[in-house]
Coordinates of all heavy atoms in Angstrom, one line a residue:
Y42 N -19.9 22.9 -2.8 CA -19.8 23.2 -4.2 C -20.1 22.0 -5.0 O -20.9 22.0 -6.0 CB -18.4 23.7 -4.5 CG -18.3 24.4 -5.9 CD1 -19.1 25.5 -6.2 CD2 -17.4 24.0 -6.8 CE1 -19.1 26.0 -7.4 CE2 -17.3 24.5 -8.0 CZ -18.1 25.6 -8.4 OH -18.1 26.2 -9.6
L43 N -19.6 20.8 -4.6 CA -19.8 19.6 -5.3 C -21.3 19.2 -5.3 O -21.8 18.6 -6.3 CB -19.0 18.5 -4.7 CG -17.5 18.4 -5.1 CD1 -16.7 17.4 -4.3 CD2 -17.4 18.1 -6.6
T44 N -22.0 19.5 -4.2 CA -23.4 19.1 -4.2 C -24.3 20.3 -4.6 O -25.5 20.2 -4.5 CB -23.8 18.7 -2.7 OG1 -23.5 19.8 -1.8 CG2 -23.0 17.4 -2.3
G45 N -23.7 21.4 -4.9 CA -24.4 22.6 -5.2 C -25.5 22.5 -6.3 O -26.6 23.0 -6.1
A46 N -25.2 21.8 -7.4 CA -26.1 21.7 -8.5 C -27.4 21.0 -8.0 O -28.5 21.4 -8.2 CB -25.5 21.0 -9.7
L47 N -27.1 19.9 -7.3 CA -28.3 19.1 -6.8 C -29.1 19.8 -5.8 O -30.3 19.8 -5.7 CB -27.7 17.8 -6.2 CG -27.1 16.7 -7.1 CD1 -26.6 15.5 -6.4 CD2 -28.2 16.3 -8.1
R48 N -28.4 20.6 -4.9 CA -29.1 21.2 -3.8 C -29.5 22.7 -4.1 O -30.0 23.4 -3.3 CB -28.2 21.3 -2.6 CG -27.9 19.9 -2.0 CD -26.9 20.0 -0.9 NE -26.9 18.8 0.0 CZ -26.7 18.9 1.3 NH1 -26.5 20.0 1.9 NH2 -26.6 17.8 2.0
G49 N -29.2 23.1 -5.4 CA -29.7 24.4 -5.8 C -28.9 25.6 -5.1 O -29.4 26.7 -4.9
H50 N -27.6 25.3 -4.8 CA -26.7 26.3 -4.2 C -26.0 27.2 -5.2 O -25.2 28.1 -4.9 CB -25.7 25.7 -3.3 CG -26.2 25.0 -2.1 ND1 -27.2 25.5 -1.3 CD2 -25.9 23.8 -1.6 CE1 -27.5 24.7 -0.4 NE2 -26.7 23.7 -0.5
L51 N -26.1 26.9 -6.5 CA -25.3 27.5 -7.5 C -25.9 28.8 -8.1 O -25.3 29.4 -9.0 CB -24.9 26.5 -8.6 CG -24.1 25.3 -8.2 CD1 -23.7 24.5 -9.4 CD2 -23.0 25.6 -7.3
G52 N -27.0 29.2 -7.5 CA -27.7 30.4 -8.1 C -27.2 31.7 -7.4 O -26.3 31.7 -6.6
F53 N -27.9 32.8 -7.7 CA -27.6 34.1 -7.1 C -28.3 34.3 -5.8 O -29.3 33.6 -5.5 CB -28.1 35.3 -8.0 CG -27.2 35.5 -9.2 CD1 -27.5 34.8 -10.5 CD2 -26.0 36.2 -9.1 CE1 -26.6 35.0 -11.5 CE2 -25.2 36.4 -10.2 CZ -25.5 35.8 -11.4
A54 N -27.7 35.1 -4.9 CA -28.2 35.3 -3.6 C -29.1 36.6 -3.5 O -29.5 37.0 -2.4 CB -27.1 35.4 -2.6
D55 N -29.4 37.2 -4.7 CA -30.3 38.4 -4.7 C -29.7 39.5 -3.8 O -30.5 40.1 -3.0 CB -31.7 38.0 -4.3 CG -32.3 37.0 -5.3 OD1 -31.8 37.0 -6.4 OD2 -33.0 36.1 -4.8
C56 N -28.4 39.7 -3.8 CA -27.9 40.9 -3.1 C -26.5 41.2 -3.7 O -26.0 40.4 -4.5 CB -27.7 40.6 -1.6 SG -26.5 39.2 -1.3
V57 N -26.0 42.4 -3.5 CA -24.7 42.8 -4.0 C -23.7 43.0 -2.9 O -24.1 43.3 -1.8 CB -24.8 44.1 -4.9 CG1 -25.6 43.9 -6.1 CG2 -25.2 45.2 -4.0
N58 N -22.4 42.7 -3.2 CA -21.4 42.8 -2.1 C -20.8 44.2 -2.2 O -21.1 45.1 -3.0 CB -20.3 41.8 -2.2 CG -19.5 41.9 -3.5 OD1 -19.5 42.9 -4.2 ND2 -18.8 40.8 -3.9
V59 N -19.8 44.5 -1.3 CA -19.2 45.8 -1.1 C -18.5 46.2 -2.4 O -18.3 47.4 -2.7 CB -18.2 45.8 0.0 CG1 -17.0 44.9 -0.3 CG2 -17.6 47.2 0.3
Q60 N -18.3 45.2 -3.3 CA -17.6 45.6 -4.6 C -18.6 46.0 -5.6 O -18.3 46.2 -6.8 CB -16.8 44.3 -5.1 CG -16.4 43.3 -4.1 CD -15.1 43.7 -3.3 OE1 -14.5 44.7 -3.8 NE2 -14.8 43.0 -2.3
G61 N -19.9 45.9 -5.2 CA -21.0 46.2 -6.2 C -21.3 45.0 -7.1 O -21.9 45.2 -8.2
E62 N -20.8 43.8 -6.8 CA -21.1 42.7 -7.6 C -22.2 41.9 -7.1 O -22.5 41.8 -5.9 CB -19.8 41.8 -7.6 CG -18.6 42.4 -8.3 CD -17.3 41.8 -7.8 OE1 -17.3 41.0 -6.8 OE2 -16.3 42.0 -8.5
D63 N -23.0 41.2 -8.1 CA -24.0 40.3 -7.7 C -23.4 39.1 -6.9 O -22.4 38.6 -7.3 CB -24.8 39.8 -8.9 CG -25.6 40.9 -9.6 OD1 -26.1 41.7 -8.8 OD2 -25.6 40.9 -10.8
V64 N -24.0 38.8 -5.7 CA -23.4 37.8 -4.9 C -24.1 36.4 -5.2 O -25.3 36.4 -5.4 CB -23.7 38.1 -3.4 CG1 -23.2 37.0 -2.5 CG2 -23.0 39.4 -3.1
M65 N -23.2 35.4 -5.3 CA -23.8 34.0 -5.5 C -24.1 33.4 -4.2 O -23.4 33.7 -3.2 CB -22.7 33.2 -6.2 CG -22.1 33.8 -7.5 SD -23.3 34.0 -8.8 CE -23.7 32.3 -9.3
R66 N -25.0 32.5 -4.1 CA -25.4 31.8 -2.9 C -24.1 31.1 -2.3 O -23.8 31.2 -1.1 CB -26.4 30.7 -3.1 CG -27.8 31.3 -3.2 CD -28.9 30.3 -2.7 NE -30.2 30.7 -3.3 CZ -30.6 30.1 -4.4 NH1 -30.0 29.1 -5.0 NH2 -31.8 30.5 -5.0
M67 N -23.3 30.6 -3.2 CA -22.1 29.9 -2.8 C -21.1 30.9 -2.1 O -20.3 30.5 -1.2 CB -21.4 29.2 -3.9 CG -21.8 27.8 -4.2 SD -21.8 26.7 -2.7 CE -20.0 26.8 -2.3
D68 N -21.1 32.2 -2.5 CA -20.2 33.2 -1.9 C -20.6 33.3 -0.4 O -19.8 33.4 0.5 CB -20.4 34.6 -2.6 CG -19.8 34.7 -3.9 OD1 -18.7 34.1 -4.1 OD2 -20.4 35.3 -4.8
V69 N -22.0 33.4 -0.2 CA -22.5 33.6 1.2 C -22.2 32.3 2.0 O -21.7 32.4 3.1 CB -24.0 33.8 1.1 CG1 -24.6 33.9 2.5 CG2 -24.4 35.0 0.3
I70 N -22.4 31.1 1.4 CA -22.2 29.9 2.1 C -20.7 29.8 2.5 O -20.3 29.5 3.7 CB -22.6 28.7 1.3 CG1 -24.1 28.6 1.1 CG2 -22.1 27.4 1.8 CD1 -24.6 27.7 0.1
A71 N -19.8 30.0 1.5 CA -18.3 29.9 1.7 C -17.9 30.9 2.8 O -17.0 30.6 3.6 CB -17.6 30.1 0.4
N72 N -18.4 32.1 2.8 CA -18.0 33.1 3.7 C -18.4 32.7 5.1 O -17.6 32.8 6.1 CB -18.7 34.5 3.3 CG -18.1 35.7 4.0 OD1 -16.8 35.7 4.1 ND2 -18.9 36.6 4.5
E73 N -19.7 32.2 5.3 CA -20.2 31.8 6.6 C -19.3 30.7 7.1 O -18.9 30.7 8.3 CB -21.6 31.4 6.4 CG -22.5 31.5 7.7 CD -23.9 31.1 7.3 OE1 -24.5 31.7 6.4 OE2 -24.5 30.1 8.0
I74 N -19.0 29.7 6.3 CA -18.2 28.5 6.7 C -16.9 29.0 7.2 O -16.4 28.6 8.3 CB -18.1 27.5 5.5 CG1 -19.4 26.8 5.3 CG2 -16.9 26.6 5.8 CD1 -19.3 26.0 4.0
T75 N -16.2 29.9 6.4 CA -14.9 30.3 6.8 C -14.8 31.1 8.1 O -14.0 30.9 9.0 CB -14.3 31.2 5.6 OG1 -14.4 30.5 4.4 CG2 -12.8 31.5 5.9
I76 N -15.8 32.0 8.3 CA -15.8 32.8 9.5 C -16.1 31.9 10.7 O -15.5 32.0 11.8 CB -16.9 33.9 9.4 CG1 -16.5 35.0 8.3 CG2 -17.1 34.6 10.7 CD1 -17.5 36.0 8.0
H77 N -16.9 30.9 10.5 CA -17.2 29.9 11.6 C -15.9 29.2 12.0 O -15.5 29.2 13.2 CB -18.2 28.8 11.2 CG -18.1 27.6 12.1 ND1 -18.6 27.6 13.3 CD2 -17.6 26.4 11.8 CE1 -18.4 26.4 13.9 NE2 -17.8 25.7 13.0
Y78 N -15.2 28.7 11.0 CA -13.9 27.9 11.4 C -12.9 28.9 12.0 O -12.2 28.5 13.0 CB -13.4 27.2 10.1 CG -14.0 25.9 9.8 CD1 -15.2 25.8 9.0 CD2 -13.5 24.7 10.4 CE1 -15.8 24.6 8.8 CE2 -14.0 23.5 10.1 CZ -15.2 23.4 9.3 OH -15.8 22.2 9.1
L79 N -12.7 30.1 11.5 CA -11.7 31.0 12.0 C -12.1 31.4 13.5 O -11.2 31.4 14.3 CB -11.6 32.3 11.2 CG -11.0 32.1 9.7 CD1 -11.0 33.4 9.0 CD2 -9.7 31.5 9.8
T80 N -13.4 31.5 13.7 CA -13.8 31.9 15.1 C -13.5 30.8 16.1 O -13.0 31.0 17.2 CB -15.4 32.2 15.1 OG1 -15.6 33.1 14.1 CG2 -15.8 32.6 16.4
T81 N -13.7 29.5 15.6 CA -13.5 28.4 16.5 C -12.0 28.3 17.0 O -11.8 27.7 18.1 CB -13.8 27.0 15.8 OG1 -12.9 26.9 14.7 CG2 -15.2 27.0 15.4
T82 N -11.1 28.9 16.3 CA -9.7 28.7 16.7 C -9.3 29.6 17.9 O -8.4 29.3 18.6 CB -8.7 29.2 15.5 OG1 -8.9 30.6 15.3 CG2 -9.0 28.4 14.2
G83 N -10.0 30.8 18.0 CA -9.6 31.7 19.0 C -8.3 32.4 18.8 O -7.8 33.2 19.6
K84 N -7.7 32.1 17.6 CA -6.3 32.6 17.3 C -6.3 33.8 16.4 O -5.3 34.4 16.1 CB -5.5 31.5 16.6 CG -5.4 30.2 17.3 CD -4.5 30.3 18.6 CE -4.5 29.0 19.4 NZ -3.8 29.3 20.7
V85 N -7.5 34.2 15.9 CA -7.6 35.2 14.9 C -8.0 36.6 15.5 O -9.0 36.7 16.1 CB -8.5 34.8 13.7 CG1 -8.6 35.9 12.7 CG2 -8.1 33.5 13.1
I86 N -7.2 37.6 15.3 CA -7.4 38.9 15.9 C -8.6 39.5 15.1 O -9.6 39.9 15.6 CB -6.2 39.8 15.7 CG1 -4.9 39.1 16.3 CG2 -6.4 41.2 16.3 CD1 -3.6 39.8 15.8
Q87 N -8.4 39.7 13.8 CA -9.4 40.2 12.8 C -9.3 39.5 11.5 O -8.2 38.9 11.2 CB -9.1 41.7 12.5 CG -9.2 42.7 13.7 CD -8.7 44.1 13.3 OE1 -7.9 44.2 12.4 NE2 -9.1 45.1 14.1
A88 N -10.4 39.5 10.8 CA -10.3 38.9 9.4 C -10.9 39.9 8.5 O -11.7 40.8 8.8 CB -11.2 37.6 9.4
V89 N -10.4 39.8 7.2 CA -11.0 40.6 6.1 C -11.5 39.6 5.1 O -10.7 38.7 4.7 CB -9.9 41.5 5.5 CG1 -10.4 42.1 4.2 CG2 -9.5 42.6 6.5
S90 N -12.7 39.8 4.6 CA -13.3 38.9 3.6 C -13.8 39.7 2.4 O -14.4 40.8 2.6 CB -14.5 38.1 4.2 OG -15.2 37.5 3.1
E91 N -13.6 39.2 1.2 CA -14.2 39.8 0.1 C -15.7 40.0 0.2 O -16.2 41.0 -0.4 CB -13.9 39.1 -1.2 CG -14.3 39.8 -2.5 CD -14.4 39.0 -3.7 OE1 -15.0 37.9 -3.6 OE2 -14.0 39.5 -4.8
E92 N -16.3 39.1 0.9 CA -17.8 39.1 1.0 C -18.4 39.9 2.2 O -19.6 39.9 2.4 CB -18.3 37.7 1.0 CG -18.0 36.9 -0.2 CD -18.4 37.5 -1.5 OE1 -19.4 38.3 -1.5 OE2 -17.7 37.4 -2.6
T93 N -17.5 40.5 3.0 CA -18.0 41.2 4.2 C -17.4 42.7 4.1 O -16.2 42.9 4.0 CB -17.5 40.6 5.5 OG1 -17.8 39.2 5.5 CG2 -18.1 41.2 6.7
T94 N -18.3 43.6 4.2 CA -18.0 45.0 4.0 C -16.9 45.5 5.0 O -15.9 46.0 4.6 CB -19.2 45.9 4.2 OG1 -20.2 45.4 3.2 CG2 -18.9 47.4 3.9
D95 N -17.1 45.3 6.3 CA -16.2 45.8 7.3 C -15.2 44.7 7.8 O -15.4 43.5 7.5 CB -17.0 46.2 8.5 CG -18.0 47.3 8.2 OD1 -17.6 48.2 7.3 OD2 -19.2 47.3 8.7
I96 N -14.1 45.2 8.4 CA -13.2 44.3 9.0 C -13.9 43.5 10.1 O -14.7 44.0 10.8 CB -12.0 45.1 9.6 CG1 -11.2 45.7 8.5 CG2 -11.1 44.2 10.5 CD1 -10.0 46.6 8.9
I97 N -13.7 42.2 10.1 CA -14.4 41.3 11.1 C -13.6 41.1 12.4 O -12.5 40.5 12.3 CB -14.6 39.9 10.4 CG1 -15.3 40.0 9.0 CG2 -15.4 39.0 11.3 CD1 -15.1 38.8 8.1
P98 N -14.0 41.7 13.5 CA -13.3 41.5 14.7 C -13.6 40.2 15.3 O -14.7 39.8 15.4 CB -13.8 42.6 15.6 CG -15.2 42.9 15.1 CD -15.2 42.5 13.6
L99 N -12.6 39.4 15.6 CA -12.8 38.0 16.2 C -12.2 38.0 17.6 O -12.9 38.3 18.6 CB -12.2 37.0 15.3 CG -12.9 36.8 13.9 CD1 -12.2 35.8 13.0 CD2 -14.4 36.4 14.1
N100 N -11.0 37.8 17.8 CA -10.4 37.8 19.1 C -9.3 38.8 19.2 O -8.1 38.5 19.2 CB -9.8 36.4 19.4 CG -9.3 36.3 20.8 OD1 -9.1 37.3 21.5 ND2 -8.9 35.0 21.2
E101 N -9.7 40.1 19.3 CA -8.8 41.2 19.2 C -7.8 41.3 20.5 O -6.7 41.8 20.4 CB -9.5 42.5 19.0 CG -10.3 42.6 17.7 CD -10.9 43.9 17.3 OE1 -11.3 44.6 18.3 OE2 -10.9 44.3 16.2
E102 N -8.3 40.7 21.6 CA -7.5 40.8 22.8 C -6.3 39.9 22.7 O -5.1 40.3 22.7 CB -8.4 40.3 24.0 CG -9.1 41.4 24.7 CD -8.2 42.7 24.9 OE1 -7.2 42.6 25.6 OE2 -8.5 43.7 24.2
S103 N -6.6 38.6 22.5 CA -5.4 37.6 22.6 C -5.2 36.8 21.3 O -4.5 35.8 21.3 CB -5.7 36.7 23.7 OG -6.9 36.0 23.5
G104 N -5.9 37.2 20.2 CA -5.7 36.5 18.9 C -4.2 36.7 18.5 O -3.5 37.7 19.0
R105 N -3.8 35.9 17.6 CA -2.3 36.0 17.2 C -2.2 36.3 15.7 O -1.1 36.8 15.3 CB -1.7 34.6 17.5 CG -0.2 34.5 17.5 CD 0.2 33.0 17.8 NE 1.6 32.8 17.7 CZ 2.5 33.1 18.7 NH1 2.1 33.6 19.8 NH2 3.8 32.8 18.5
Y106 N -3.2 36.1 14.9 CA -3.1 36.3 13.5 C -4.2 37.2 12.9 O -5.3 37.2 13.4 CB -3.2 34.9 12.8 CG -2.2 33.9 13.3 CD1 -2.6 32.9 14.1 CD2 -0.8 34.0 13.0 CE1 -1.7 31.9 14.6 CE2 0.1 33.1 13.5 CZ -0.3 32.1 14.3 OH 0.6 31.2 14.8
F107 N -3.8 37.9 11.8 CA -4.8 38.5 10.9 C -4.9 37.6 9.7 O -4.0 37.1 9.2 CB -4.2 39.9 10.4 CG -4.0 40.9 11.5 CD1 -2.8 41.0 12.1 CD2 -5.1 41.7 11.9 CE1 -2.6 42.0 13.2 CE2 -4.9 42.6 13.0 CZ -3.6 42.7 13.6
V108 N -6.2 37.4 9.3 CA -6.4 36.5 8.1 C -7.3 37.3 7.1 O -8.3 37.9 7.4 CB -7.2 35.2 8.5 CG1 -7.5 34.4 7.3 CG2 -6.4 34.5 9.6
Y109 N -6.7 37.4 5.8 CA -7.4 38.1 4.7 C -7.8 37.0 3.7 O -6.9 36.3 3.3 CB -6.4 39.1 4.1 CG -5.6 39.9 5.2 CD1 -4.2 39.7 5.3 CD2 -6.2 40.7 6.0 CE1 -3.5 40.4 6.2 CE2 -5.5 41.5 7.0 CZ -4.1 41.3 7.1 OH -3.4 42.0 8.1
F110 N -9.1 36.9 3.4 CA -9.5 35.8 2.5 C -10.5 36.2 1.5 O -11.3 37.1 1.7 CB -9.9 34.6 3.3 CG -11.2 34.8 4.1 CD1 -12.4 34.4 3.6 CD2 -11.2 35.4 5.4 CE1 -13.6 34.6 4.3 CE2 -12.3 35.6 6.1 CZ -13.5 35.2 5.6
D111 N -10.5 35.5 0.4 CA -11.6 35.5 -0.6 C -12.2 34.1 -0.6 O -11.6 33.1 -1.1 CB -11.1 35.8 -2.0 CG -12.2 35.9 -3.1 OD1 -13.3 35.5 -2.8 OD2 -11.9 36.3 -4.2
P112 N -13.4 33.9 0.0 CA -13.9 32.5 0.3 C -14.3 31.8 -1.0 O -14.3 30.6 -1.0 CB -15.1 32.8 1.2 CG -15.6 34.2 0.8 CD -14.3 34.9 0.5
L113 N -14.6 32.5 -2.1 CA -15.0 31.8 -3.3 C -14.6 32.7 -4.5 O -15.4 33.5 -4.9 CB -16.5 31.5 -3.3 CG -16.8 30.3 -4.2 CD1 -16.6 29.0 -3.5 CD2 -18.2 30.4 -4.8
D114 N -13.4 32.6 -4.9 CA -12.9 33.4 -6.0 C -13.3 32.9 -7.4 O -13.1 31.7 -7.6 CB -11.4 33.5 -5.9 CG -10.7 34.1 -7.1 OD1 -10.9 35.3 -7.3 OD2 -10.1 33.3 -7.9
G115 N -13.8 33.7 -8.2 CA -14.2 33.3 -9.6 C -15.7 33.0 -9.7 O -16.1 32.0 -10.3
S116 N -16.5 33.9 -9.1 CA -17.9 33.6 -9.0 C -18.5 33.4 -10.3 O -19.5 32.6 -10.5 CB -18.6 34.8 -8.3 OG -17.9 35.1 -7.1
S117 N -17.9 33.9 -11.4 CA -18.6 33.8 -12.7 C -18.5 32.3 -13.2 O -19.2 31.9 -14.1 CB -17.8 34.7 -13.7 OG -16.5 34.3 -13.8
N118 N -17.7 31.5 -12.5 CA -17.7 30.1 -12.9 C -18.7 29.2 -12.1 O -18.9 28.0 -12.4 CB -16.3 29.5 -12.6 CG -15.3 30.0 -13.7 OD1 -15.7 30.6 -14.7 ND2 -14.0 29.8 -13.5
V119 N -19.2 29.8 -11.0 CA -20.1 29.0 -10.1 C -21.2 28.3 -10.8 O -21.4 27.1 -10.7 CB -20.5 29.9 -8.9 CG1 -21.6 29.1 -8.1 CG2 -19.4 30.3 -8.0
S120 N -22.0 29.1 -11.5 CA -23.3 28.5 -12.1 C -22.9 27.5 -13.2 O -23.8 26.7 -13.5 CB -24.1 29.6 -12.7 OG -23.3 30.5 -13.5
H121 N -21.7 27.4 -13.6 CA -21.3 26.3 -14.5 C -20.6 25.2 -13.8 O -20.1 24.2 -14.5 CB -20.3 27.0 -15.6 CG -20.9 28.2 -16.2 ND1 -21.9 28.3 -17.1 CD2 -20.5 29.5 -15.9 CE1 -22.2 29.5 -17.4 NE2 -21.4 30.3 -16.7
G122 N -20.4 25.3 -12.5 CA -19.7 24.2 -11.8 C -18.3 24.1 -12.1 O -17.6 23.1 -11.9
L123 N -17.7 25.2 -12.7 CA -16.3 25.2 -13.1 C -15.4 25.6 -11.9 O -15.9 26.1 -10.9 CB -16.1 26.2 -14.3 CG -16.7 25.7 -15.6 CD1 -16.6 26.8 -16.6 CD2 -16.0 24.4 -16.1
P124 N -14.1 25.4 -12.0 CA -13.2 25.6 -10.9 C -13.3 27.1 -10.3 O -13.3 28.0 -11.1 CB -11.8 25.3 -11.4 CG -12.0 24.3 -12.5 CD -13.3 24.7 -13.1
V125 N -13.3 27.1 -9.0 CA -13.2 28.4 -8.3 C -12.1 28.3 -7.3 O -11.5 27.2 -7.2 CB -14.6 28.7 -7.6 CG1 -15.7 29.0 -8.6 CG2 -15.0 27.6 -6.6
G126 N -11.9 29.3 -6.5 CA -10.8 29.3 -5.5 C -11.1 29.8 -4.2 O -12.1 30.6 -4.0
F127 N -10.4 29.4 -3.2 CA -10.4 29.9 -1.8 C -9.0 30.4 -1.5 O -8.1 29.6 -1.4 CB -10.9 28.8 -0.8 CG -10.8 29.1 0.6 CD1 -10.8 30.4 1.1 CD2 -10.8 28.1 1.6 CE1 -10.8 30.7 2.5 CE2 -10.8 28.3 2.9 CZ -10.7 29.7 3.4

Side-chain angles (χ1 to χ4, degrees):
Y42 194 57
L43 278 172
T44 57
L47 288 178
R48 293 175 164 216
H50 292 317
L51 300 187
F53 284 96
D55 301 330
C56 61
V57 295
N58 64 17
V59 64
Q60 336 278 352
E62 294 159 344
D63 291 326
V64 176
M65 308 296 290
R66 279 209 204 98
M67 273 306 301
D68 286 322
V69 177
I70 291 169
N72 197 40
E73 205 177 306
I74 287 171
T75 309
I76 293 171
H77 161 74
Y78 275 89
L79 293 179
T80 306
T81 60
T82 67
K84 303 290 177 191
V85 180
I86 307 162
Q87 294 172 337
V89 167
S90 166
E91 185 197 44
E92 298 305 331
T93 305
T94 304
D95 300 324
I96 291 176
I97 308 161
L99 292 175
N100 185 348
E101 295 189 327
E102 269 319 294
S103 58
R105 195 178 174 85
Y106 305 105
F107 295 94
V108 180
Y109 316 115
F110 67 95
D111 181 350
L113 203 87
D114 168 69
S116 309
S117 60
N118 284 351
V119 170
S120 48
H121 310 287
L123 289 171
V125 292
F127 172 20

